[in-house]
Amino acid sequence: MTTTYDCTIDDERARGLEHAQRAISEKKCVVLPTDTVYGIGADAFSPQAVTMLLVSKGRSRTMPPPVLIPRINALDGLATEVSADARKLAEAFWPGGLTLILHAQPSLDWDLGETKGTVALRMPADEVALELLTLTGPLAVSSANRTGNAPAQTAAAAREQLADSVEVYLEGGARPLEGEAGVPSTIVDATGPVLRVVRNGAVSLDRLREHVPGVLGLGEIPMAEEEPVPAQADAGNATDDAGSAPAASGSSAVTAAAAEPTTPAGNQQP
């Protein structure tokens, strides 16, 4: 039975977290607050649970959800080939508004969708979310809304969209918190030799470069990748080149991250 718990009340929060942990173990979905907006979460290691999450949102496997983790040392258990620069950013901005796209550990028994071997990881700066993640382990989490609708900023708003497809709603009040800007996480593709921002968000490029000076901004490419345009270039070809932005990554994680609806506060994927 679908139940909402008011996590601003200690006793109810404890009951809600217990019920949510049980629901996750039973391959059901829960709604939880994050530091950006509310998310719908499911066991990241259960293909059945992830499928239920995608169906609840009306979303296809071509848009795999990111994974939220409770602590930074979970990084190596879920990702491989993690560069020193990626670690620097994780250490500097986790918990917080930074999502890292990394190569997924090939030995893990999970199926998040068509990820092309990548996974988008984040550690949220939200007490309720971290408490739940500590109980359950990594969760596949996407914004708590039907695809095409505005992301929910309360559990009540999420329930209006997702209804009985979710077992537990953890209500923690408005997200983002009152007085804070509703800015989504910054997404950095760390699957290549050079880190690249693929979505601007809560962590600015200047702040990223304080820790990793070589991070490329959205749409930037390294000098070595730039090709000179022949002096006699055909005008039509020049137009085509100018109209095509360089691809930041081939990973489905990037595609999914950009797929949520845009609100005045920006893309609100957790």
Side-chain angles (χ1 to χ4, degrees):
M1 182 178 69
T2 296
T3 309
T4 296
Y5 295 90
D6 184 350
C7 292
T8 65
I9 302 172
D10 289 345
D11 289 347
E12 198 163 336
R13 176 168 167 167
R15 291 197 302 273
L17 288 168
E18 180 182 3
H19 190 175
Q21 180 185 21
R22 187 168 64 253
I24 292 295
S25 70
E26 294 171 352
K27 316 307 179 190
K28 298 175 181 178
C29 294
V30 304
V31 160
L32 63 150
T34 77
D35 46 341
T36 54
V37 292
Y38 276 74
I40 176 174
D43 183 356
F45 299 104
S46 168
Q48 173 189 337
V50 173
T51 296
M52 184 175 294
L53 183 156
L54 295 174
V55 169
S56 297
K57 284 181 61 71
R59 189 167 175 170
S60 75
R61 285 175 49 83
T62 61
M63 300 163 64
V67 174
L68 298 188
I69 58 177
R71 60 187 65 87
I72 195 170
N73 62 9
L75 184 63
D76 289 310
L78 302 178
T80 186
E81 301 177 40
V82 181
S83 69
D85 284 345
R87 290 184 193 280
K88 288 179 183 177
L89 294 187
E91 290 167 358
F93 299 108
W94 284 359
L98 174 70
T99 298
L100 291 174
I101 297 174
L102 299 156
H103 294 288
Q105 279 283 2
S107 61
L108 291 177
D109 184 22
W110 60 1
D111 182 5
L112 297 170
E114 297 177 16
T115 65
K116 300 182 181 178
T118 65
V119 62
L121 297 178
R122 186 166 88 85
M123 181 180 174
D126 185 277
E127 289 184 4
V128 175
L130 289 175
E131 282 188 53
L132 179 61
L133 289 163
T134 298
L135 293 172
T136 63
L139 294 178
V141 179
S142 185
S143 56
N145 58 277
R146 292 284 297 176
T147 296
N149 294 344
Q153 294 184 288
T154 64
R159 189 164 182 170
E160 289 178 2
Q161 298 190 51
L162 302 174
D164 293 341
S165 65
V166 170
E167 174 80 2
V168 175
Y169 289 85
L170 299 177
E171 180 65 79
R175 295 292 190 278
L177 297 173
E178 186 175 353
E180 295 185 5
V183 181
S185 65
T186 296
I187 301 179
V188 173
D189 182 358
T191 60
V194 180
L195 273 56
R196 302 169 182 258
V197 173
V198 295
R199 184 180 73 183
N200 291 322
V203 182
S204 69
L205 182 59
D206 287 342
R207 291 180 65 201
L208 294 173
R209 284 177 172 169
E210 288 176 2
H211 300 274
V212 180
V215 176
L216 296 175
L218 189 64
E220 292 182 350
I221 59 175
M223 293 291 291
E225 293 184 14
E226 294 180 354
E227 296 183 2
V229 178
Q232 301 300 320
D234 176 77
N237 288 338
T239 301
D240 289 342
D241 291 340
S244 300
S249 170
S251 76
S252 292
V254 174
T255 303
E260 290 294 341
T262 299
T263 68
N267 183 324
Q268 297 286 3
Q269 181 155 333

